[in-house]
Amino acid sequence: MHAYTASRISLPSHSAQPGLPETFDPAPAQPVSFFAAGAEIYAQGEKAGAFYQVEFGAVRIYRLLADGRRQISAFHLAGETFGFEADSTHHFFAEAINATGVRVLRLATGAEMARQLLPLALKGLTRAQEHLLVLGRQNAIERVAAFLVDMAERQGGLRQVELPMSRMDIGDYLGLTIETVSRVFTRLKDKGVIRLLNLRSIEILKQDALHCMSE
Amino acid sequence: MHAYTASRISLPSHSAQPGLPETFDPAPAQPVSFFAAGAEIYAQGEKAGAFYQVEFGAVRIYRLLADGRRQISAFHLAGETFGFEADSTHHFFAEAINATGVRVLRLATGAEMARQLLPLALKGLTRAQEHLLVLGRQNAIERVAAFLVDMAERQGGLRQVELPMSRMDIGDYLGLTIETVSRVFTRLKDKGVIRLLNLRSIEILKQDALHCMSE
DNA sequence: CGAATAGTTGACCGATGTCAATGAAGGTGG
DNA sequence: CCACCTTCATTGACATCGGTCAACTATTCG
């Protein structure tokens, strides 16, 4: 049982992005906030009133038990959206994993907003439910394999996969300890399924084998 | 690793309910379908085009792995709504646990529908994410305690709680085996926290202790 | 270059799964 | 209405996967 102590590492600079070239956004330009690695985007219990789109970097969404055990329910990479809640309160914590920029989208109320948000909420629901299957019924190898397959898909299905998060983050996402995550990485490496380019990026050598392991 | 073999036990009678007294429903009356215990309401892969409100009985939503391992992602009791999907395909199975009546609500498209559906989707998302914490980071006693607390709350917070589902269903919801569920029930009974009135209903004797155990 | 942080590896332990036997409950037909 | 049979739940003995603790190594950052 490992304890996790949350700490506000640095404050975001809530200012609009000035002069960077950007892809065209049909919605009226919204401010982009920057967060340093480990910075809190919002906390459980805080008032919710916006949702967020990742411009660059990566975000972890998590919850804590009283004794510090942490469960990360989702990672969000560039282009993905998070932060909507059932009521006007955040039920989870959101933190930047690395230096991260998020576009803050103020919540309009009304049917048009619901129309935009619903598909995102439903996609998130499906993702969460699929993750339940992993946590409830898969063993350590299957969990890590499923995680790598998912990360690979979200990065365009390339052989090389960037893992912006630490082993502890991966463990807290998969319901495992860092030691077990590490051991499974080693086993996959020894089997020739993956290659560790460095701590934060892997190459998938046997796509089929990995898919197979993830069930 | 236990195998679960799904089987269509009986077909639903897709007919409107004729002469039963009903509580007033502001929406135009929709047909109610009846399902026998174990009957399939929809299957993974089927075309989705409606959502469902439980009139009476109970429903399990689940997914299977290739080798038969099953994860129940949610139970739905009377009054609750389920069946909406991110795209037009069901990603899960839905089965009646007991004799169950569900009101079938055909999906209108458009903003007004989204406005109605969004809160339900968001509520479901929050529930699923909270369940992730249970599956990822809590031990067997905590899981069962959390389950009982949840069931009690959803039944009005009474001391006596009805469990419409089998031990296997509970196990497949909590990521445990039936043996472990049974052993935890016995431990809670021996500690005087609960009393087993019969297989499908319990009495909570120490509400605080149970809350405490569920973290 | 050195200290601090993150990751890996090994030895051991315990919680939960597996397998098997027993007991209780519910449904069906005589 | 009862007896039997089937299904479901409980209990025990044992195995195993993953957690814990500790030592060591690699990486990053000042």
Side-chain angles (χ1 to χ4, degrees), chain A residues 38-57:
Chain A
E40 181 177 284
I41 298 171
Y42 56 75
Q44 187 177 356
E46 270 183 15
K47 188 87 180 160
F51 61 106
Y52 305 87
Q53 186 161 29
V54 181
E55 292 287 311
F56 62 90

Side-chain angles (χ1 to χ4, degrees), chain A residues 1 139-140 180 183:
Chain A
M1 195 182 290
N139 65 28
T180 299
R183 276 186 261 262

Side-chain angles (χ1 to χ4, degrees), chain A residues 35 39 41-42 52-54 56-61 72 74-78 80 82 93-98 100-102 154 164-165:
Chain A
F35 294 88
I41 298 171
Y42 56 75
Y52 305 87
Q53 186 161 29
V54 181
F56 62 90
V59 173
R60 58 181 168 243
I61 308 297
I72 294 179
F75 295 116
H76 294 290
L77 309 181
E80 300 176 351
F82 66 95
F93 295 90
E95 277 176 6
I97 294 175
N98 296 308
T100 296
V102 298
R154 285 159 73 180
M165 69 291 288

Side-chain angles (χ1 to χ4, degrees), chain A residues 129-202:
Chain A
Q129 286 173 325
E130 283 172 355
H131 197 188
L132 284 174
L133 177 64
V134 174
L135 295 191
R137 288 296 174 212
Q138 296 198 280
N139 65 28
I141 300 185
E142 291 168 337
R143 292 183 201 202
V144 172
F147 170 69
L148 293 178
V149 167
D150 181 48
M151 289 300 290
E153 280 176 4
R154 285 159 73 180
Q155 290 177 32
L158 303 173
R159 306 190 72 75
Q160 185 170 339
V161 182
E162 301 302 319
L163 305 177
M165 69 291 288
S166 69
R167 298 287 187 272
M168 168 147 281
D169 285 338
I170 297 172
D172 284 351
Y173 178 68
L174 296 177
L176 302 171
T177 60
I178 51 174
E179 292 94 332
T180 299
V181 171
S182 185
R183 276 186 261 262
V184 171
F185 272 49
T186 303
R187 281 180 66 179
L188 291 175
K189 192 184 60 182
D190 291 349
K191 283 186 178 179
V193 176
I194 62 170
R195 199 157 67 92
L196 296 170
L197 304 176
N198 60 58
L199 285 179
R200 297 292 169 95
S201 63
I202 64 153

